[in-house]
Amino acid sequence: MSQRLAVIAGSVLAAALVLSGCGGDDDGDGGKGGGAESAAAEAEVLAEVAQPKVGEMAGAMGMWTTDRHFVKAGLKKISGYPLAGGKASWEVPLTGEICWSSPTPTKDGKVAVVFQNDKNDPSVCTEVGVVDIERGKLLWRKQGINTSGTSEMFDEVTIGGGTVAAAGTGGSAGWKLDGTPLWKPSDEPCDAVGYAGDATKLIAVRDCGDTDHPKPKVETVDPGTRAVKSTFALPRGTEYVHVVSVDPLVLAADDGEAKGGSGISRFITVDDSAARGKALSTIPADGGKHGTYEAECPATEVTGCAQLAVSKERNALYLATRDPASKSSAARNDLVSFDLGTGKRLRRAPGSDAGRLVPIGLDGGGKVIAYQEASIVGEEGGAVWRVDPATLKSTKLLQNPSDSYEMESRFESDRRLLYAGERLYLGADHVTEPSTVYRTPQPLAVVFGTH
């Protein structure tokens, strides 16, 4: 799985940011590393995944790559395509619309999905399955049967420490990766509203209050038994909490007044090494002189935050600002880094003047991959940049064609991105009905690269 890059969990940084910078709250440019464009490959549209015909929006959340396939969730199915695009090599049919999926495959290529069952009730998400995206096979499909004997509805699913954990407003359920049940939905003092996980850890988010007075808390639990290892209670006034990173444990808290619908009022770094979790730092999502940061989290789900980065190696959080710090700057936005231990801002670096930069992944050597958004005003295609964290030298890897800028920009409000094997994969999380504004049909996903 060497080509795979995580997108949703936010473990990356946008281009041109000083990753190794230290020091105080520097208002300078953080070191002018400059950018080299001469090495950029002139990309073209290698392939498109056509949008299925639907009468209304439907869920299609999920996009991954393996060493052999580009994999995209579609309308009631998951399909694997050649890495450069083309006819599907395999398809995994599902019984209904896809509601949620785990963002990053396991090392052996397994992802978890929540989907609907059209035969029973096509409007609710009751089915949990694990798909092997290396082989294109649905390994198992289960339901969480609650104490009343009915199938529980789930909002999201994750894989953490070898456990598949699904949760929603009504309860949660867990299985081993082979499908063996671990726990069923049941009445609990504090409902588990969602889980987040990585290869070794499982994090549970619970709400111990009521609608008018929510009291969320975050637990680090044993993936097999759910025995609580550490508990962190969110500050009073927190309505929702999202898990930005599992290790280190970084949360995005929403007090109901998050600006721009971002779902983030502040970031909190938590030390979960002891039974009682300890807040190490708090970083307001309002960037002061930098304005609001571009990071976003879903309204209520625990996972799914995007356009931010967390580095365990450097113990840092990286964010893109909505506007540059200086009115005289030609850049579309700035990029800033924070020390997760202290919450202090480390460095600032200007972004690009061609388009806004957002983080999408790290390459195999730990260097940063960033996506430069297409420009509608400039009628320019997007681009992919790589940044050396030690020197701040940035190199443009891929320049997308200008004749596809409109199609590319239409992904902005509903997208996920992957850069692997010198190709950029851009896909939508929903299947949509034909546009009444644009003449050209919008694809569900597109592959940019060179032959």
Side-chain angles (χ1 to χ4, degrees), residues 236-250:
R236 184 183 299 273
T238 302
E239 295 186 4
Y240 300 101
V241 61
H242 317 280
V243 179
V244 171
S245 168
V246 171
D247 186 18
L249 182 54
V250 181

Side-chain angles (χ1 to χ4, degrees), residues 68-383:
R68 295 186 300 161
H69 295 109
F70 155 53
V71 183
K72 182 70 184 81
L75 183 61
K76 304 180 183 181
K77 65 181 180 180
I78 296 175
S79 304
Y81 304 88
L83 289 171
K87 185 179 180 181
S89 303
W90 52 260
E91 289 187 351
V92 174
L94 301 173
T95 59
E97 179 181 333
I98 299 172
C99 310
W100 201 266
S101 63
S102 55
T104 307
T106 61
K107 289 183 178 180
D108 57 353
K110 295 180 177 62
V111 298
V113 293
V114 171
F115 53 100
Q116 298 175 354
N117 187 340
D118 288 350
K119 292 183 179 179
N120 295 339
D121 188 343
S123 64
V124 297
C125 307
T126 56
E127 314 302 298
V128 177
V130 168
V131 178
D132 184 335
I133 60 172
E134 292 278 14
R135 297 185 295 158
K137 183 178 180 180
L138 177 64
L139 300 180
W140 55 263
R141 164 190 166 191
K142 306 282 186 177
Q143 294 180 338
I145 306 300
N146 57 33
T147 53
S148 63
T150 59
S151 300
E152 193 61 67
M153 296 180 290
F154 299 117
D155 297 323
E156 55 184 315
V157 68
T158 194
I159 300 177
T163 290
V164 178
T169 55
S172 72
W175 299 265
K176 292 182 180 179
L177 263 177
D178 63 6
T180 303
L182 290 174
W183 71 88
K184 296 181 179 180
S186 60
D187 293 331
E188 298 177 276
C190 299
D191 293 332
V193 297
Y195 292 86
D198 65 4
T200 61
K201 291 178 66 177
L202 183 64
I203 305 296
V205 174
R206 297 183 179 277
D207 187 354
C208 301
D210 53 37
T211 303
D212 295 328
H213 301 92
K215 295 181 180 179
K217 65 179 181 179
V218 176
E219 298 175 341
T220 301
V221 302
D222 181 286
T225 65
R226 285 194 300 169
V228 180
K229 298 180 178 180
S230 179
T231 301
F232 176 73
L234 273 295
R236 184 183 299 273
T238 302
E239 295 186 4
Y240 300 101
V241 61
H242 317 280
V243 179
V244 171
S245 168
V246 171
D247 186 18
L249 182 54
V250 181
L251 311 175
D254 184 0
D255 60 9
E257 298 180 1
K259 293 187 176 181
S262 67
I264 309 169
S265 301
R266 60 192 176 278
F267 298 93
I268 304 173
T269 304
V270 178
D271 178 357
D272 62 345
S273 61
R276 184 175 180 178
K278 178 183 178 182
L280 298 177
S281 67
T282 299
I283 302 168
D286 184 343
K289 69 180 293 184
H290 294 274
T292 305
Y293 297 116
E294 285 285 2
E296 294 182 350
C297 293
T300 59
E301 284 80 8
V302 169
T303 58
C305 298
Q307 300 187 170
L308 44 73
V310 173
S311 170
K312 179 179 180 180
E313 179 183 0
R314 302 180 188 280
N315 198 38
L317 170 68
Y318 307 96
L319 301 170
T321 63
R322 185 156 296 176
D323 300 296
S326 172
K327 293 183 179 180
S328 62
S329 174
R332 296 295 180 89
N333 63 330
D334 286 348
L335 303 162
V336 291
S337 61
F338 292 89
D339 186 314
L340 286 174
T342 65
K344 292 183 178 180
R345 186 166 64 83
L346 298 174
R347 294 294 178 92
R348 173 183 64 85
S352 168
D353 61 353
R356 200 174 295 275
L357 287 165
V358 294
I360 63 170
L362 299 173
D363 65 14
K367 293 184 179 179
V368 179
I369 301 298
Y371 172 62
Q372 176 187 304
E373 295 179 340
S375 172
I376 297 178
V377 176
E379 298 186 356
E380 298 178 42

